[in-house]
Amino acid sequence: MPVSRVREQRDVKVNYSSWKQFVEGKRLKAENVDPALLASWQRCKDMAVDPAPRSCWDFLPMNQLEQFTTTLEKICGEIETTAYEVIKGKGLLMTIANADARVARTCGDLDVLHEADRLNFGPGANWSEACVGTNAIGTALATGRPMQVFASEHFCESHHSWNCTAAPILDPRGNVWGCFDISGPTWSDHSGAMDLVLHAARALEQNLSRLYCSELEGQMASLFSSMFNSVMTGVLFLNKSGRITSANNTAELLLSRSGGALRGRKAEDLFDMGPYLAQAKNASLCEPVIVKCLVNPNLYIRVMPTFSASGAWLDTIVTVSETQHSRQFAAGPRPSNRPQAEPAEVKGFEHVLHASQSMRQVIRQAANAARTPSTILLTGESGTGKELFARGIHQAGPRAKQPFVAVNCGAFSEELVQSELFGYREGAFTGAVKRGRVGKFQKADKGVLFLDEISEMPMSQQVNLLRALEERAVVPVGGTSPLPVDVKILAATNKNLRQLVDQGLFREDLYYRLNVVTIAIPPLRERGNDVSLLAEYHLKRLCASFGIDCPEIAAQTRDLLSAHEWPGNVRELINCLEYAANNLSGDQLLPEHLPHYLLERTGGRALGAAARSRDKGFELKQREANAIREALDFHEGNISKTAKALGIGRNTLYAKMERYDIQA
């Protein structure tokens, strides 16, 4: 390209002679070299960077930059396209690098890309000062300032034929997130490079801030919703006129057993607000005030104000809890190690057999959420009983007499998802049933729609589901008019949807639409003595269905069942018991009747050696119990520190303490 092109761009501030003097160790006059450039050269010298002709030698596989590139895809938008239109035909290359100076994207004229290849300037390359010396990308990231490095201003001689301009990209916290760079041979048109990189960097920062705010807003909304609806205390907010503006599920359950909504009602219809208002008039209100509940005298009600930073009285918070009653237990020896199931206290969940506190708490949370039209996301490992909970929520709520429709989102091909969910009109496609077909949404109208394995729904179809959830209306395939539907949505997954969103495998907007009330079903290993309880129940059920006598479960067998981690959860336990039921001999279920892998994983070494299995199970149990007691003593009963020391979760520790009757 001819050098006679007329343009306005700065001259090279350092000539080759000055550069050579510096790299040869000769002293330069400070006024001859820009201080920022001289400081960069000195850093390179201190890091023993070789100034001789060289190409980049440090590359990172692009899959290790996936987190950065995924975010970059979300914020680039039209910025990259606009910038390319500006540099097109000018012999320039546009580059975006991460905070470690790793090149993530390059775009530019083909001849310049070929030139860049000779320097190994491509995706994954390390363009930091420590690797390739002074350059716009590495020096901008090192200083946090926009930089131009032209020709012999580069520390490495191989880059003297290039000019580059770069500006750092800062995240909302002010930390360097990446860098936007315009580079090209010295003969290229660099006249508008600084303005371009500054505008592009600022635009990327704005989009990055919007993305951070969007994610933070979604996380906070999800966290607040989960906290607000999972606490076992009722919480209500009142506005200045005394009307209820919001109430959590527990408050609805305690104060409105008939199912009526609390929102919009006057607080004075539910509580004696006189004492609270009297203190408010005297301007002496600073402590919570205990008032009487008019609809249920047994409830404990506390009312307290909220204030702005200037001291102005804002809204009022009301907390509602049940009066505590102590339970009387009969004296005498403890029963055997067979756990007793909890009485069926919660309507709809009578079929969920349990004795553990962890399961009891989750059932209460599910029963509370069942009363409202809010969307529920059931999470948990495979085999924990998510569909069982979905049916329980249906039965526990006001839609119990309406349809319950279950859909396995992983069972349909991408082409059939839309027609299965929303139905289709006559002649919508080849092979369509005459007169069309009603979709799952319409079948569940006024009832509950259970979307199982929601993470398996094809990405291309998720937008259609999102639209149906937002508009509460569906358009059948081949149709034009939306049909309104009234459904309570339950979704379930055994995967981490947040991780799938970060990986670009699940729509973020659909995730937030589903993640309103999240209920995490605990795995079997965190349910304490529920293992023995479930084993007895399912063994009796299986033996009855097979028409054989049900044996007693031997003590050593119980120990082995309790020691196993049950990665397949209740489903795996049932399979093991069915294997045992087909292998019975005698009036006891012994370790030798269980599957081989169960014995190997829990300490049993020889089939048929019941006594040896008993000793092993007992020894494992004792060792584990002693380890927990010693860790608790060492950490003075601190559950978090004990769990961390043992390498297990808090819920798992609680379950094991319950199993071994250990008190903190």
Side-chain angles (χ1 to χ4, degrees):
M1 186 173 292
V3 295
S4 59
R5 172 181 292 177
V6 177
R7 56 183 180 267
E8 296 179 2
Q9 63 182 47
R10 77 165 177 83
D11 296 326
V12 179
K13 295 180 179 179
V14 179
N15 57 30
Y16 179 80
S17 177
S18 296
W19 170 83
K20 190 172 182 181
Q21 280 184 289
F22 182 87
V23 298
E24 290 177 352
K26 297 177 182 177
R27 189 168 184 176
L28 291 178
K29 292 182 180 180
E31 60 268 18
N32 293 341
V33 183
D34 180 84
L37 189 64
L38 189 60
S40 176
W41 281 5
Q42 189 60 52
R43 285 194 299 271
C44 295
K45 201 168 200 178
D46 294 341
M47 291 184 288
V49 177
D50 185 359
R54 57 186 282 148
S55 298
C56 180
W57 49 268
D58 183 5
F59 280 82
L60 198 67
M62 286 303 293
N63 59 5
Q64 296 188 31
L65 300 177
E66 187 173 351
Q67 184 175 358
F68 179 83
T69 55
T70 299
T71 303
L72 190 59
E73 287 288 347
K74 295 177 181 178
I75 68 172
C76 257
E78 298 180 357
I79 298 171
E80 188 178 44
T81 305
T82 303
Y84 178 68
E85 288 298 320
V86 174
I87 68 170
K88 188 166 62 174
K90 294 184 178 181
L92 296 172
L93 180 69
M94 176 177 63
T95 304
I96 302 177
N98 70 1
D100 297 322
R102 294 285 179 178
V103 175
R105 294 172 79 92
T106 56
C107 179
D109 294 341
L110 187 60
D111 55 342
V112 186
L113 287 169
H114 289 319
E115 290 281 339
D117 284 343
R118 295 191 182 97
L119 297 173
N120 291 339
F121 185 49
N126 181 359
W127 226 249
S128 66
E129 287 184 335
C131 184
V132 295
T134 303
N135 70 94
I137 293 175
T139 307
L141 290 173
T143 61
R145 297 168 44 198
M147 289 294 300
Q148 278 192 310
V149 181
F150 283 9
S152 52
E153 296 170 1
H154 288 88
F155 186 77
C156 294
E157 189 174 5
S158 52
H159 303 146
H160 284 191
S161 60
W162 280 70
N163 291 353
C164 34
T165 306
I169 304 166
L170 306 182
D171 69 17
R173 300 181 183 89
N175 301 318
V176 174
W177 179 81
C179 184
F180 189 93
D181 170 81
I182 298 294
S183 299
T186 53
W187 49 257
S188 302
D189 181 0
H190 295 270
S191 56
M194 181 58 81
D195 285 341
L196 180 58
V197 298
L198 289 174
H199 280 98
R202 298 299 84 80
L204 288 169
E205 286 175 350
Q206 290 174 5
N207 287 354
L208 189 62
S209 293
R210 292 190 189 99
L211 178 64
Y212 273 37
C213 289
S214 174
E215 291 178 348
L216 183 61
E217 182 181 358
Q219 291 167 4
M220 292 302 295
S222 176
L223 177 63
F224 180 78
S225 175
S226 298
M227 291 173 60
F228 190 55
N229 288 300
S230 63
V231 294
M232 301 313 293
T233 299
V235 182
L236 304 96
F237 288 90
L238 314 180
N239 61 18
K240 290 181 179 179
S241 64
R243 288 192 180 274
I244 299 171
T245 57
S246 59
N248 70 352
N249 295 331
T250 304
E252 297 267 2
L253 184 66
L254 294 173
L255 294 169
S256 182
R257 298 186 182 277
S258 62
L262 293 175
R263 186 173 180 178
R265 294 182 62 180
K266 286 190 174 183
E268 61 188 25
D269 295 338
L270 304 170
F271 318 113
D272 178 9
M273 299 294 288
Y276 174 74
L277 296 175
Q279 289 200 39
K281 288 179 181 178
N282 295 330
S284 60
L285 183 63
C286 57
E287 296 291 333
V289 179
I290 300 173
V291 302
K292 292 180 181 178
C293 181
L294 303 179
V295 295
N296 185 347
N298 293 322
L299 295 177
Y300 180 70
I301 312 297
R302 295 203 320 163
V303 188
M304 65 202 80
T306 59
F307 298 94
S308 68
S310 63
W313 183 14
L314 299 176
D315 294 345
T316 298
I317 299 176
V318 180
T319 61
V320 185
S321 57
E322 293 180 295
T323 304
Q324 300 298 311
H325 299 286
S326 59
R327 293 185 179 181
Q328 300 297 324
F329 294 91
R334 287 189 66 173
S336 67
N337 61 349
R338 298 183 190 177
Q340 300 299 313
E342 284 290 303
E345 298 176 350
V346 183
K347 176 191 173 185
F349 293 89
E350 300 88 350
H351 54 298
V352 182
L353 201 63
H354 70 286
S356 61
Q357 176 64 29
S358 60
M359 203 63 168
R360 187 157 57 248
Q361 183 175 348
V362 173
I363 288 174
R364 287 175 182 168
Q365 183 188 0
N368 288 343
R371 302 181 62 254
T372 73
S374 299
T375 299
I376 298 173
L377 178 63
L378 298 169
T379 65
E381 297 174 5
S382 180
T384 50
K386 292 184 285 295
E387 183 167 353
L388 204 63
F389 263 78
R391 293 186 180 277
I393 291 170
H394 172 239
Q395 290 300 311
R399 300 170 183 256
K401 295 183 180 179
Q402 301 301 328
F404 176 87
V405 178
V407 179
N408 187 328
C409 296
F412 301 127
S413 65
E414 185 171 350
E415 296 76 15
L416 289 178
V417 171
Q418 196 170 356
S419 61
E420 288 291 335
L421 289 179
F422 311 133
Y424 55 82
R425 296 299 191 193
E426 180 179 359
F429 52 85
T430 303
V433 175
K434 195 172 183 180
R435 288 180 295 190
R437 177 177 290 176
V438 173
K440 304 294 186 184
F441 265 85
Q442 287 177 273
K443 287 182 180 179
D445 191 34
K446 303 295 188 297
V448 172
L449 179 63
F450 176 48
L451 302 174
D452 197 9
E453 296 186 30
I454 188 66
S455 60
E456 305 304 316
M457 174 168 282
M459 190 79 170
S460 61
Q461 297 299 322
Q462 291 177 19
V463 65
N464 296 319
L465 175 59
L466 175 66
R467 189 176 299 112
L469 296 181
E470 288 177 339
E471 299 174 0
R472 284 295 192 260
V474 298
V475 178
V477 177
T480 56
S481 302
L483 304 175
V485 288
D486 173 20
V487 293
K488 180 179 176 72
I489 299 294
L490 308 182
T493 180
N494 60 1
K495 296 182 179 178
N496 188 322
L497 287 187
R498 180 66 260 180
Q499 287 184 0
L500 294 182
V501 170
D502 293 340
Q503 295 166 8
L505 301 176
F506 198 84
R507 288 184 65 98
E508 188 171 27
D509 43 11
L510 179 57
Y511 167 71
Y512 289 126
R513 176 62 64 179
L514 294 173
N515 191 31
V516 178
V517 178
T518 301
I519 298 176
I521 303 173
L524 187 55
R525 61 181 171 276
E526 294 179 4
R527 292 176 53 183
N529 286 330
D530 282 4
V531 175
S532 292
L533 184 69
L534 290 164
E536 278 199 353
Y537 170 80
H538 287 292
L539 183 63
K540 289 178 182 178
R541 178 182 61 80
L542 288 166
C543 288
S545 66
F546 294 163
I548 59 177
D549 292 334
C550 182
E552 182 79 12
I553 301 179
Q556 63 268 34
T557 308
R558 291 181 186 277
D559 291 340
L560 285 171
L561 293 175
S562 297
H564 186 51
E565 289 296 313
W566 299 109
N569 294 291
V570 180
R571 187 180 295 125
E572 182 189 2
L573 174 63
I574 294 172
N575 289 344
C576 286
L577 294 170
E578 185 167 355
Y579 175 92
N582 281 278
N583 200 29
L584 288 173
S585 58
D587 57 358
Q588 278 198 320
L589 179 64
L590 300 173
E592 63 194 53
H593 298 138
L594 297 173
H596 294 210
Y597 82 89
L598 196 67
L599 295 173
E600 292 169 0
R601 291 181 184 176
T602 53
R605 292 187 178 275
L607 291 173
R612 202 181 316 167
S613 295
R614 182 188 304 114
D615 293 342
K616 279 286 183 184
F618 179 76
E619 182 182 344
L620 286 170
K621 185 177 178 181
Q622 285 297 102
R623 285 183 179 178
E624 187 172 44
N626 289 339
I628 292 173
R629 290 190 181 96
E630 290 175 6
L632 280 168
D633 289 342
F634 182 81
H635 292 289
E636 299 179 344
N638 187 302
I639 296 297
S640 296
K641 291 182 179 179
T642 301
K644 187 175 181 180
L646 294 171
I648 59 178
R650 285 166 53 90
N651 289 340
T652 303
L653 177 58
Y654 278 123
K656 290 181 182 293
M657 288 171 64
E658 184 177 346
R659 181 188 303 169
Y660 299 137
D661 193 23
I662 298 173
Q663 303 297 322

